[in-house]
C-alpha cells in the first residue's frame, strides 16, 4: 500500500475480490497475478512491448514446468534455461532476458506490499519465492556480447551494395514495373542509414521535418543535419533524441533527389514520413530486412552483414578517415560503447603503424643530427 493509502498498482486486492469463491482458483489467481504484474510494470513507465514480452516469458516458463508461481523452485529454472540453451541454442543475451523476466515477476509476486504472498498462503497453503538467483543464471560480465559474425562493411563491399541497390532500380524501371519506386526508396534509406549512422528504427521513423541546414556548413544546403527523434531508449524512458551532422558531400545530393523528385510520386500528401509505404504511413522493419537480405545474398556477401552493419560502417569509416572519435558518438552515452562498433581494416592499421614508425624514425634521426652538430 502506498504512502497515500492507496493500493499499489498490481496489488492482489485490485485484481481478486475477497470473499468470492473461485471456480478454478489456480488458473484465476495466476491470471490475476499476471495482470497485476503488467500493471506494476506499466506504472514504472516501461514500454508496452517490454511488458508484454515479459508476460509471455513468464507464461512460457509456467507452461514448461507445468506449475504455478507458488510451486516454482530454483531447480525448475535450471532445467528450463538448460533446455533453452542446449535444444534451441539461444544467445546468451536472450537467455539473460528470459531469466530477468522471471526474476522481476518473482520479485513482484513475493513483495508483501502487493499482497500476493498472503493471498496464495490463504488459498493454497504456500506462497511464491524468488527462484532466480546469481548462482543459477548467466551474469553479464563482458561489455560486448554481440554475435562475433556481425561486422562493418569494407568500403569496397559497401560500394558494391549501394551500386547493386541502384542497379535494381534501373532494372525494374527498365521493365516498366511499378516496383522501381519502393526499390528507389529502400536504396535511399540504406544510404541515409549509413550517412548518419542510424539504427533501423531510427532510420524508418524519420520524417521530412527531421532534415535541416547546418549554419556552419552551408555547402550542404537543406540537408546539413539529421534530427533523430526515435533513438534507442533506456527502460522506462522516452526515445532518446540526438542531432547528427552531415559529413559526406554525396549525402545531400541523394536526399535532394529523393525528396524533390521521387517521394512525391508515392502520393504522400498529408504523410509526414520520410519513407512512405505503398499501403501505409511508413515502411516496416520486416520489409527493410527482406530487401537487405536479398541484396546481400545476390552479391554473395558475408551473412554477418546486416542492416546494423551500416551503422557500424559509419563509425568505422569515419575513424579510418581520421575523424576525432569524440565526434563519432552515434548517440552512445559513453565513447567506450562506440569503440565496440569500430572494425577498422588491416590496411588502416598498417597505415597507422607505418605513420608511427616513420614519425619515430624521423625523430630519432633528427635527434642524432642534433648531437653530431
Amino acid at each position: 500500500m502506498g504512502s497515500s493509502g492507496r493500493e499499489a498498482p498490481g496489488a492482489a486486492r485490485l485484481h481478486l475480490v475477497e470473499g468470492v469463491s473461485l471456480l478454478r482458483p489456480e488458473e484465476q489467481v495466476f491470471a490475476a497475478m499476471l495482470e497485476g504484474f503488467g500493471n506494476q510494470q506499466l506504472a514504472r513507465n516501461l514500454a508496452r512491448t517490454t511488458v508484454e514480452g515479459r508476460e509471455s516469458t513468464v507464461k512460457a516458463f509456467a507452461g514448461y514446468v507445468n506449475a504455478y508461481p507458488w510451486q516454482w523452485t530454483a531447480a525448475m529454472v535450471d532445467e528450463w534455461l538448460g533446455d533453452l540453451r542446449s535444444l534451441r541454442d539461444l544467445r546468451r543475451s536472450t537467455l539473460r532476458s528470459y531469466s530477468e523476466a522471471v526474476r522481476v515477476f518473482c520479485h513482484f509476486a513475493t513483495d508483501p506490499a502487493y499482497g500476493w504472498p498472503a493471498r496464495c498462503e490463504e488459498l493454497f497453503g504456500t506462497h511464491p519465492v524468488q527462484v532466480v538467483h546469481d548462482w543459477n543464471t548467466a551474469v553479464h560480465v563482458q561489455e560486448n556480447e554481440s554475435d562475433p559474425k556481425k561486422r562493418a562493411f569494407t568500403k569496397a563491399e559497401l560500394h558494391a551494395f549501394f551500386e547493386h541497390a541502384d542497379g535494381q532500380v534501373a532494372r525494374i524501371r527498365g521493365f516498366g514495373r511499378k516496383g522501381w519506386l519502393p526499390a528507389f526508396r529502400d536504396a535511399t534509406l540504406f544510404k541515409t542509414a549509413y550517412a548518419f549512422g542510424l539504427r533501423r528504427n531510427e532510420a524508418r521513423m524519420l520524417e521530412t521535418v527531421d532534415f535541416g541546414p547546418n549554419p556552419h556548413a552551408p555547402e550542404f544546403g537543406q540537408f546539413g543535419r539529421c534530427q533523430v527523434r526515435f533513438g534507442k531508449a533506456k527502460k522506462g524512458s522516452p526515445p532518446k533524441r540526438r542531432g547528427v551532422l552531415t559529413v559526406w558531400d554525396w549525402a545531400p545530393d541523394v536526399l535532394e533527389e529523393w525528396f524533390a523528385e521521387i517521394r512525391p510520386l508515392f502520393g504522400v500528401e498529408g504523410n509526414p514520413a520520410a519513407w512512405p509505404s505503398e499501403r501505409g504511413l511508413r515502411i516496416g522493419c520486416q520489409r527493410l530486412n527482406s530487401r537487405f537480405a536479398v541484396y546481400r545474398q545476390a552479391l554473395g556477401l558475408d551473412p554477418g552483414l546486416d542492416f546494423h552493419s551500416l551503422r557500424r560502417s559509419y563509425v568505422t569509416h569515419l575513424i579510418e578517415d581520421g575523424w576525432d572519435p569524440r565526434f563519432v558518438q552515434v548517440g552512445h552515452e559513453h565513447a567506450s560503447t562506440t569503440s565496440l562498433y569500430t572494425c577498422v581494416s588491416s590496411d588502416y592499421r598498417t597505415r597507422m603503424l607505418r605513420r608511427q614508425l616513420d614519425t619515430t624514425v624521423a625523430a630519432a634521426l633528427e635527434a642524432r643530427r642534433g648531437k653530431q652538430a
Side-chain angles (χ1 to χ4, degrees):
M1 186 174 291
S3 57
S4 63
R6 297 180 179 179
E7 295 283 356
R13 290 177 181 270
L14 299 177
H15 298 275
L16 288 176
V17 179
E18 292 186 2
V20 176
S21 299
L22 302 175
L23 297 177
R24 302 180 305 279
E26 292 87 356
E27 296 177 18
Q28 290 174 275
V29 169
F30 184 37
M33 195 178 288
L34 278 172
E35 183 180 358
F37 175 60
N39 287 343
Q40 184 251 15
Q41 297 282 285
L42 290 173
R44 293 175 53 199
N45 204 29
L46 297 182
R48 189 170 295 277
T49 53
T50 300
V51 176
E52 292 172 353
R54 287 180 172 179
E55 290 179 0
S56 296
T57 300
V58 171
K59 290 180 182 178
F61 174 62
Y64 176 86
V65 299
N66 194 27
Y68 294 104
W70 48 91
Q71 301 167 331
W72 292 350
T73 65
M76 293 177 177
V77 176
D78 297 346
E79 181 181 353
W80 179 57
L81 294 178
D83 273 8
L84 289 176
R85 183 172 183 181
S86 60
L87 298 180
R88 294 180 55 185
D89 194 26
L90 296 183
R91 295 178 180 177
R92 292 178 177 84
S93 58
T94 303
L95 288 173
R96 192 165 48 250
S97 69
Y98 283 5
S99 62
E100 175 66 8
V102 176
R103 187 192 69 79
V104 295
F105 174 79
C106 288
H107 181 75
F108 159 77
T110 58
D111 190 335
Y114 297 103
W116 292 106
R119 194 74 167 111
C120 291
E121 188 74 41
E122 174 189 342
L123 291 171
F124 311 117
T126 185
H127 56 81
V129 297
Q130 180 60 263
V131 296
V132 180
H133 308 279
D134 290 342
W135 43 265
N136 69 341
T137 53
V139 180
H140 192 174
V141 296
Q142 184 169 303
E143 189 170 8
N144 183 18
E145 292 189 333
S146 60
D147 188 339
K149 296 178 183 177
K150 304 299 183 182
R151 63 175 179 84
F153 285 89
T154 66
K155 290 184 178 180
E157 288 173 335
L158 190 67
H159 177 76
F161 185 86
F162 288 157
E163 192 173 60
H164 181 77
D166 291 340
Q168 291 303 298
V169 176
R171 184 184 67 82
I172 298 172
R173 193 172 189 177
F175 285 124
R177 298 174 183 171
K178 295 182 180 180
W180 73 271
L181 281 174
F184 198 112
R185 174 202 58 204
D186 296 351
T188 307
L189 192 155
F190 292 147
K191 295 172 187 175
T192 303
Y194 169 69
F196 296 100
L198 305 179
R199 299 178 177 91
R200 181 184 58 183
N201 196 57
E202 291 174 348
R204 82 176 195 90
M205 292 300 293
L206 287 175
E207 298 187 351
T208 57
V209 297
D210 292 328
F211 295 94
N214 177 3
H216 301 289
E219 61 269 32
F220 293 138
Q222 292 301 307
F223 299 99
R225 64 170 178 82
C226 174
Q227 185 65 32
V228 179
R229 294 184 291 122
F230 289 87
K232 186 177 180 180
K234 292 184 177 180
K235 289 182 179 179
S237 300
K240 186 186 296 185
R241 295 175 177 236
R242 74 177 187 278
V244 187
L245 302 180
T246 303
V247 295
W248 285 301
D249 56 7
W250 54 263
D253 294 336
V254 169
L255 291 168
E256 175 66 33
E257 181 182 18
W258 165 252
F259 283 108
E261 301 177 22
I262 308 301
R263 183 176 176 275
L265 300 179
F266 276 84
V268 290
E269 186 177 355
N271 184 354
W275 323 109
S277 170
E278 305 92 296
R279 300 179 180 84
L281 178 66
R282 68 182 77 247
I283 188 174
C285 289
Q286 187 56 48
R287 178 62 180 271
L288 286 175
N289 289 344
S290 299
R291 177 87 73 177
F292 187 98
V294 168
Y295 288 176
R296 180 188 62 203
Q297 186 174 2
L299 292 168
L301 294 176
D302 189 336
L305 295 170
D306 56 12
F307 190 99
H308 207 75
S309 292
L310 297 170
R311 178 173 162 86
R312 298 184 188 99
S313 302
Y314 169 83
V315 174
T316 298
H317 296 167
L318 285 180
I319 296 297
E320 288 189 342
D321 289 344
W323 289 78
D324 191 322
R326 290 172 295 183
F327 175 86
V328 190
Q329 280 296 296
V330 292
H332 291 148
E333 188 170 352
H334 303 289
S336 58
T337 306
T338 304
S339 69
L340 299 176
Y341 280 59
T342 308
C343 314
V344 293
S345 65
S346 58
D347 289 342
Y348 172 78
R349 291 193 293 269
T350 300
R351 291 198 305 271
M352 291 299 295
L353 175 61
R354 185 70 265 165
R355 184 186 304 173
Q356 290 300 114
L357 290 175
D358 291 345
T359 301
T360 302
V361 171
L365 291 174
E366 184 65 27
R368 184 176 181 180
R369 283 194 294 267
K371 290 181 180 180
Q372 291 176 346

